[in-house]
């Protein structure tokens, strides 16, 4: 299987570490690892497809943003993080949460607004949290997670922990002032932050060229004096490789890194979006590079995965999704008397802290 | 004052004289933008996804095709930048309508709104006028959770130098924009998200309305329910249920949150001697507090019972429907407060 | 609740038992920071010019030398970025003190304060605690004009999820910070610019004070003057001038603007039956409105006259001294309001 | 006299116009023009030195930020603007106002808080306005003028006016999110904006290297895809040359340009600042490049200016300052009843609009 190094373009002004020195070749050589990548992406895909159905049937409400087509980004990056690392995400974060290990049934229960949800039903699709897994949400203010992320990294650094904070955000968020402030701060203070920019070429209906004077985001990020790479975000192996390189560098005190993960959402921005602004042919072209199919084809080409294996995987994952839906449906709502809880911390928690 | 001072207060659709059309709040807003764009070429609309996408709540759908990308101007995600650009453009002779998708995001532009738009006229000694209109969606009720459901219009009403309006009817959705554009000062126009689909009839020749007066939407003698925006339908429903109990509530629609129309409010309360204020904003330090304080100041001796407030629970809005419903003013809670002040 | 619940209410310096020291509000604030840094190595101070420059109002002067640049951390001009970084750092186990030079600039960080700091605990279903303290300078009186003179502490008090405190005395300047740092939730601490040079004596062993209760700073039977922060000295002066007329005013110092200590306020008003609220914020929709509304709700039948408010004129603050003076609450205007409610 | 082209470093990614083609050589060749430049700088210098005295004597209050040492920036840039162009400034803007032609007596009256002041005494030192001269203030929120500037430029462009908006801001403002948003917007929409960054290497007490991960601001600005130059901001001729090049380019539809004007403030940040953070030797070194002396030396070397001429100039300017002070002292305050005026526009003005 080819390593596709061309998929990673080095935009760093600083000198990049030699790929052979910093890449963990063994992991990606491992066939079972590749199968697990496919399984993770499949979990996200099938979970989100089910969510779309459940939205249509009215079981899920509010805003629902799925990342179908972008699964390789979440799964590739998460491979390179440890349990001590932290993750900050967006409102399009089911994939990040699942790939980070947030149990599917707590995520589904959250979609249902149930008390068993990972945010007790208070957050919904846009606000998945799991502090035990250092998954700090779920932020629906575009760019709003960036300052949090540099703060988490600052605290880790000041407390001498070797953790890295991965912060996901979109091409749209790149235009927000907070991006500028945070990349500069991270670079200035050499904070252990991975800026994982999911460039899906649109912010709602606005194509990147209509939002950014300079659309080469990796180049732009490099101007802050940080290491920066553009990556084929449809190729989970390329994402993992680039992210591992970046995370190693960060963990070794190399300062923050920026990854421009070029990807595409196959569906509309949200369930409200009639998707008037994209060319059908463009969507079709990107679908040819479906990250699940890309990997599956490789695994079938090199004999790792038979059609039966793939079928089995789908069945298993669908069973997991079914189970999550059943659990969510069976779960209770939070009592309405608890409405005003969690505005301020509760005494019992204070004692436990 | 603006030309609008002489215009009649908005009147219920049922009283319309000319032919009427079926329309929605969303369409009425769109018609208002379209008309303004046609009548005045200094007017343009700017904001995130107002063009190609058609507006995040479809208010501006079709306008890009009609007016082109210069005047229906999509922006990057840069709230402070493009709101400030609207201020600058207003100063230099344009009549911008800036759209901020949701009131929560407007916090990113608050420095520009408060430190510049509201302040430039005064700190320049009267030289710099900012004839800008900023539209935003406000309010809860659609399970959008804690970062998309705030009601900050009352909070904005704290700021001298701006005006704040909140259309609650088709007439006002159709008519407030033009008047706001004629105003030499910044006007913030808050559209409640739950009203976009509200439908009804509107006079074919519906046009500009004043942005100065509150109006009585339902007359009554026993108490005054003060309301506005997305809470108006709920308050009217509460009045109906009170009527079933023989309590006749007068329902006021504030329409304009800054400056408040004290006269209409006190006129009503001097007649009914009792008041309940309904405000989807948080209670503490909200608009409801200001109205209560003014009633104390202006008609203390007319009040037969303490002014009551029905507001949103002081929580960031939860996603789950039962919790969101419990957090918001509802016809039942409004009616209960009405019974309390009467009882 | 925090350990502070059991602590005594702050007491006037004259009653101090141990030895006393001469100090200023500025020095007391500095001592509080220093002590917190010494006692808890999770505490650090972050903001523009807190280090090399010594703090824009010299509060942190000398601390860089004592604690080094990691813990006395100068930031670039990036209010949203570094306030948000403080939130993140608090979540991950630190106890940051973030300084925003002046409340006006905090608008640039309001999205982080409201949409994140105040909201994360709730929208995470109780998981994400933000033990953050944000300090800022507030208020007018130094001819700094329209972009450096606002009083937004009352406006901030509208936001559920945060606490808001305003030290008006040396004891509180010395003692509120530590208690705020023990709080598991975000606390905003507002220092009035006109108080930094206030001097007086403080107990040598002055330490933490509660951040829950309002206190009576001057007892009186005829009316209650409710005040806080930079308005407290003016209100006490007004009480003296009323006393000269034989009117005994009770002066309350709110200390904590969110959550308000209703009990202490209503206790006083139930005794005096009359109230004037003094607030340097703008009047419409300010903190003064909330207190007035609550007095109506909680002691309507105890009130002998309508609650009055003395606030800043609703103008962006002018530079010229005579205009600035006229825009602000002054002992004379406070006393006049007092006479009005008594008279 | 040497043209000092080395003082202008081209950082543009875009192709820069050839200097010979776009520079207006005739103006800078004109000796009387050079003398007028010196006079303008002297006006600013002596005005501000007087302000410092008046601050000490209590006639001026509030915050006072002088730009002593930075006069070449204001004077050089203003030479290249027409009456139709617009200017947006900062709280350190006496020099910008005076060089723009705002009468000195209205500026001085403003410092005194008198009704004859250019902002009727409501603004003070930080908020000088003169809309008739398209001088739009005087903004005391660092970075706060940038969005205004792009809006002014947008309006000019939409209305087909050939105007350029010059926006002054500091190295400190560069770190604010608004900078990022505004440069991108200006570049994206090709707005006629001159971003005039006064890099005096400090934001209050924070040296640029302690605030910016990448201190080469012209390079950073170029990453947005706009033409960008670093300029010796102590050399008024270099500033004028660079600014003319930039303004010509902008006016000809070339899109926004960025000038990093490297300069230095000889005095503390404000009258409150004990200036603990700068090395005395550093200050002394920069004072050797005093923009007034640099130009005066040249004019004396090439025989344009005799010592007597210089002396005369000082006397004349001092007389202008004296006159401004006298007028300010004699002027009335605004009646206190007018306090609440100008919160909203007044009817009479509405009619006149
Ligand atoms: C501050 C802010 N502005 C606007 C929005 C509305 N909005 C939600 S998602 C979105 C597009 C974001 O695009 P991008 O960052 O590229 O992420 P993507 O949706 O493509 O994953 C917008 C405009 C918001 N949530 N927050
Ligand atoms: C948003 C904001 N933050 C902080 C301040 C306080 N402040 C005033 S000037 C200044 C330094 C600005 O530096 P720079 O932009 O380099 O301009 P300079 O003063 O050097 O001319 C600071 C921090 C402010 N006025 N506005
Ligand atoms: Mg995108
Ligand atoms: Mg500077």
């Amino acid at each position: 299987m080819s390593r596709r190094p061309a998929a990673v373009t080095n935009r760093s002004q600083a000198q990049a570490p030699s790929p052979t020195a910093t890449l963990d070749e063994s992991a990606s050589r491992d066939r079972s690892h590749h199968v697990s990548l496919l399984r993770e992406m499949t979990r996200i895909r099938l979970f989100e497809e089910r969510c779309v159905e459940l939205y249509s049937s009215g079981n899920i409400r509010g805003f629902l943003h799925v990342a179908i087509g972008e699964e390789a980004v979440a799964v590739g990056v998460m491979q390179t993080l440890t349990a001590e690392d932290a993750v900050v995400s967006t409102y399009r974060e089911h994939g990040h949460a699942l790939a980070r290990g947030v149990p599917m049934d707590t995520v589904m229960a959250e979609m249902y607004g149930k008390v068993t949800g990972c945010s007790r039903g208070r957050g919904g699709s846009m606000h998945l949290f799991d502090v035990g897994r250092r998954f700090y949400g779920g932020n629906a203010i575009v760019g709003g997670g960036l300052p949090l992320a540099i703060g988490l990294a600052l605290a880790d650094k000041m407390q001498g922990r070797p953790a890295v904070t991965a912060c996901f955000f979109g091409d749209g968020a790149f235009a927000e002032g907070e991006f500028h402030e945070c990349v500069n701060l991270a670079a200035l203070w050499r904070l252990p932050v991975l800026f994982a920019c999911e460039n899906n070429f649109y912010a709602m209906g606005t194509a990147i060229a209509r939002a950014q004077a300079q659309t080469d985001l990796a180049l732009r990020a490099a101007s802050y004096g940080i290491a920066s790479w553009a990556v084929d975000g449809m190729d989970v192996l390329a994402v993992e490789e680039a992210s591992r390189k970046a995370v190693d560098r960060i963990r070794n005190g190399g300062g923050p890194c920026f990854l421009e993960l070029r990807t595409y959402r196959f569906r509309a921005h949200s369930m409200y979006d009639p998707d008037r602004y994209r060319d059908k042919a463009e969507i079709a072209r990107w679908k040819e590079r479906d990250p699940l199919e890309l990997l599956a084809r490789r695994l079938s080409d090199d004999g790792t995965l038979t059609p039966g294996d793939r079928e089995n995987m789908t069945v298993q994952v669908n069973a997991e999704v079914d189970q999550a839906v059943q659990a969510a449906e069976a779960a209770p709502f939070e009592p309405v008397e608890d409405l005003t809880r969690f505005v301020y911390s509760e005494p019992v928690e204070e004692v436990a802290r | 004052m603006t030309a609008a001072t002489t215009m009649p207060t908005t009147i219920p659709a049922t009283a319309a004289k000319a032919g009427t059309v079926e329309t929605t709040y969303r369409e009425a807003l769109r018609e208002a933008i379209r008309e303004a764009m046609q009548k005045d070429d200094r007017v343009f609309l700017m904001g995130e996804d107002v063009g190609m996408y058609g507006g995040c709540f479809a208010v501006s759908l079709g306008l890009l095709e009609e007016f082109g990308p210069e005047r229906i101007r999509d922006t990057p995600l840069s709230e402070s930048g493009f709101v400030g650009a609207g201020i600058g453009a207003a100063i230099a002779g344009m009549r911008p309508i800036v759209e901020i998708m949701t009131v929560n995001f407007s916090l990113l532009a608050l420095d520009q709104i408060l430190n510049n738009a509201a302040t430039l006229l005064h700190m320049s000694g009267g030289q710099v006028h900012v004839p800008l209109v900023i539209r935003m969606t406000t309010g809860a009720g659609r399970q959008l959770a804690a970062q998309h459901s705030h009601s900050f219009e009352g909070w904005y009403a704290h700021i001298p130098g701006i005006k704040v309006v909140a259309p609650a009817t088709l007439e006002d959705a159709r008519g407030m924009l033009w008047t706001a554009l004629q105003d030499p000062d910044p006007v913030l126009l808050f559209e409640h998200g739950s009203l976009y689909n509200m439908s009804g009839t509107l006079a074919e020749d519906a046009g500009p309305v004043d942005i100065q007066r509150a109006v009585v939407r339902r007359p009554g003698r026993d108490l005054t329910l003060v309301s506005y925006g997305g809470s108006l339908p709920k308050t009217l429903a509460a009045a109906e249920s009170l009527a079933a109990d023989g309590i006749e509530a007068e329902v006021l629609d504030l329409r304009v949150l800054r400056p408040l129309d004290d006269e209409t409010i006190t006129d009503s309360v001097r007649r009914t001697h009792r008041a309940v204020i309904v405000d989807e904003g948080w209670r503490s330090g909200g608009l409801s507090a200001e109205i209560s304080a003014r009633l104390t100041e202006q008609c203390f001796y007319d009040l037969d019972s303490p002014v009551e407030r029905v507001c949103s629970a002081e929580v960031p809005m939860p996603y789950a429907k039962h919790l969101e419903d419990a957090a918001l003013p509802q016809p039942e809670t409004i009616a209960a407060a009405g019974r309390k002040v009467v009882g």
Side-chain angles (χ1 to χ4, degrees), chain A, chain B:
Chain A
M1 192 216 63
S2 80
R3 307 269 325 124
R4 299 180 55 93
V8 179
T9 323
N10 184 358
R11 287 297 192 185
S12 173
Q13 292 184 299
Q15 215 196 321
S18 121
T20 43
T22 58
L23 289 178
D24 182 347
E25 304 268 346
S26 65
S28 57
R29 246 182 263 126
D30 185 348
R31 288 175 170 203
S32 76
H33 176 59
H34 290 179
V35 173
S36 81
L37 294 178
L38 184 61
R39 182 176 301 109
E40 280 306 298
M41 293 199 290
T42 304
R43 287 178 73 236
I44 299 171
R45 174 71 55 92
L46 296 184
F47 177 88
E48 290 202 320
E49 285 181 345
R50 189 70 62 90
C51 286
V52 170
E53 287 171 26
L54 290 166
Y55 196 90
S56 306
S57 62
N59 297 73
I60 298 175
R61 302 287 297 273
F63 280 150
L64 177 69
H65 309 87
V66 294
I68 291 172
E70 306 183 0
E71 296 88 346
V73 170
V75 172
V77 171
M78 291 308 171
Q79 303 312 308
T80 69
L81 302 180
T82 69
E84 286 68 43
D85 294 333
V87 179
V88 174
S89 182
T90 68
Y91 46 86
R92 194 186 299 289
E93 89 278 34
H94 312 132
H96 305 139
L98 293 172
R100 179 61 184 175
V102 183
M104 191 185 283
D105 50 5
T106 73
V107 179
M108 187 59 88
E110 190 59 35
M111 313 295 289
Y112 270 76
K114 297 295 179 79
V115 70
T116 51
C118 60
S119 307
R120 295 180 71 97
R122 295 186 178 227
S125 164
M126 300 197 287
H127 305 299
L128 306 176
F129 284 85
D130 188 340
V131 167
R133 289 180 178 81
R134 299 205 80 195
F135 189 81
Y136 294 107
N139 208 301
I141 304 297
V142 173
L146 288 157
L148 289 191
I150 64 168
L152 294 168
L154 175 63
D156 285 333
K157 189 177 178 185
M158 290 182 84
Q159 292 172 104
R161 292 188 292 252
V164 170
T165 297
C167 183
F168 292 91
F169 58 99
D171 51 294
F174 198 105
E176 293 279 8
E178 284 178 335
F179 171 78
H180 174 74
E181 297 185 358
C182 291
V183 177
N184 181 50
L185 274 167
L188 186 69
W189 293 345
R190 297 184 74 76
L191 299 179
V193 180
L194 175 66
F195 292 100
C197 179
E198 300 184 299
N199 181 3
N200 60 10
F201 299 93
Y202 288 86
M204 284 186 64
T206 305
I208 186 165
R210 297 174 58 246
Q212 292 289 341
Q214 165 55 276
T215 56
D216 186 336
L217 302 183
L219 180 75
R220 289 286 312 286
S223 83
Y224 291 84
I226 64 173
S228 178
W229 294 269
V231 186
D232 176 358
M234 303 309 262
D235 177 349
V236 67
L237 301 180
V239 173
E240 181 177 356
E241 176 186 327
S243 181
R244 195 170 303 283
K245 183 158 60 170
V247 168
D248 284 351
R249 185 191 173 103
I250 297 165
R251 212 182 297 282
N252 294 326
C257 292
F258 180 95
L259 294 181
E260 178 193 338
L261 301 147
R262 296 186 177 160
T263 182
Y264 201 79
R265 58 171 160 75
F266 290 170
R267 304 190 60 113
H269 168 73
S270 74
M271 298 302 292
Y272 283 104
D273 172 13
D275 207 344
R276 293 188 194 88
Y277 46 84
R278 297 194 300 186
D279 194 35
K280 296 272 171 301
E282 177 184 292
I283 301 175
R285 229 166 29 245
W286 277 95
K287 282 191 172 168
E288 284 165 21
R289 306 209 60 242
D290 185 321
L292 279 71
E293 298 314 315
L294 272 190
L295 180 59
R297 225 174 294 144
R298 282 188 214 159
L299 297 187
S300 120
D301 286 357
D302 72 4
T304 305
L305 200 78
T306 67
D309 294 339
R310 181 93 198 269
E311 182 59 38
N312 273 346
M313 185 186 283
T314 305
V315 170
Q316 283 163 13
V317 170
N318 263 329
E320 188 188 4
V321 177
D322 288 341
Q323 197 279 323
V325 171
Q326 279 155 26
E329 300 209 324
F333 285 110
E334 192 167 12
V336 80
E337 304 77 59
D338 284 359
L339 171 64
T340 55
R341 286 183 67 187
F342 312 127
V343 178
Y344 296 99
S345 299
E346 296 177 359
V348 54
E349 293 174 308
E350 172 61 7
V351 171
R353 283 167 78 243
Chain B
M1 292 296 157
T2 69
T5 46
T6 55
M7 286 178 188
T9 299
T10 184
I11 42 171
T14 46
K17 283 154 231 121
T20 59
V21 288
E22 282 292 315
T23 189
T24 63
Y25 187 83
R26 174 184 288 110
E27 286 165 8
L29 290 165
R30 187 187 304 140
E31 254 330 280
I33 300 171
R34 177 181 285 125
E35 189 193 16
M37 301 275 295
Q38 286 167 342
K39 284 210 283 199
D40 186 343
D41 59 17
R42 299 170 306 173
V43 173
F44 68 104
L45 176 69
M46 169 162 70
E48 290 159 14
D49 289 307
V50 295
M52 287 280 277
Y53 189 92
C56 64
F57 296 108
V59 169
S60 52
L61 190 64
L63 298 182
L64 173 68
E65 292 69 20
E66 194 170 342
F67 298 102
E70 284 285 304
R71 295 185 68 200
I72 302 292
R73 186 173 281 267
D74 279 326
T75 67
L77 278 133
S78 301
E79 283 79 5
S80 194
F82 71 75
V83 169
I87 300 170
I91 293 170
M94 299 298 286
R95 290 295 178 275
I97 307 170
V98 172
E99 174 178 317
I100 301 176
M101 283 188 176
T102 295
V103 68
N104 289 65
F105 317 152
S106 75
L107 301 183
L108 289 161
L110 189 56
D111 164 60
Q112 286 298 315
I113 295 173
L114 199 158
N115 284 322
N116 279 340
T119 302
L120 281 162
L121 181 67
H122 189 263
M123 78 184 177
S124 68
Q127 291 177 77
V128 179
H129 301 267
V130 185
L132 168 70
V133 175
I134 304 178
R135 296 173 43 234
M136 24 188 159
T137 304
T138 188
R142 293 161 297 149
Q143 288 189 253
L144 302 184
Q147 292 181 329
H148 279 71
S149 301
H150 286 118
S151 287
F152 290 146
E153 55 279 3
W155 213 38
Y156 274 105
H158 181 55
I159 307 172
I162 62 171
K163 296 180 183 167
V164 178
V165 302
T169 63
L170 299 179
E171 288 76 13
D172 282 352
R174 179 66 181 81
M176 280 183 163
L177 180 71
W178 180 256
T179 317
L181 283 166
Q182 306 314 298
D183 200 288
D185 300 311
V187 180
L188 272 53
L189 192 149
F190 288 88
E191 305 164 4
H192 197 286
S194 71
L195 296 178
Y196 284 124
N197 292 330
M198 180 174 74
S199 62
T201 54
L202 188 60
E204 234 161 35
D205 61 355
V209 297
D210 81 284
I211 54 168
Q212 299 184 307
R213 304 303 301 259
V215 297
V216 174
R217 295 287 180 205
R218 182 192 197 283
R221 58 167 191 269
D222 297 329
L223 81 160
T224 302
L225 300 174
V226 181
S227 174
Y228 70 92
S231 296
L232 181 64
K234 294 176 177 177
T235 307
L236 288 167
E240 288 309 309
S241 100
L242 288 170
D245 292 357
I247 301 171
E248 286 303 327
E250 179 145 307
V251 177
L252 286 194
D253 174 4
L254 291 173
R255 301 181 65 249
V256 185
L257 311 188
R258 184 180 186 98
L260 281 170
D261 174 9
D262 288 348
E263 195 184 323
T264 303
I265 302 170
T266 53
D267 271 3
S268 174
V269 174
R270 289 212 176 91
R271 278 188 282 102
T272 63
H273 307 290
R274 294 174 156 88
V276 174
I277 303 153
V278 184
D279 176 13
E280 196 180 306
W282 291 313
R283 181 186 184 96
S284 294
L287 185 73
S288 65
E290 179 60 26
I291 297 170
S292 173
R294 290 194 187 192
L295 287 175
T296 291
E297 284 154 8
Q298 297 170 14
C299 28
F300 183 74
Y301 300 103
D302 297 298
L303 286 171
D304 285 347
S305 69
V307 176
E308 284 281 324
R309 296 185 281 170
V310 181
C311 303
S312 284
E314 300 200 19
V315 297
M317 202 55 69
Y319 162 70
K321 182 163 170 40
H322 66 299
L323 295 178
E324 186 185 42
D325 283 347
L328 295 172
Q330 300 293 1
E332 301 72 42
T333 48
I334 300 167
R339 283 188 199 94
K340 181 173 167 199
V341 297
V342 172

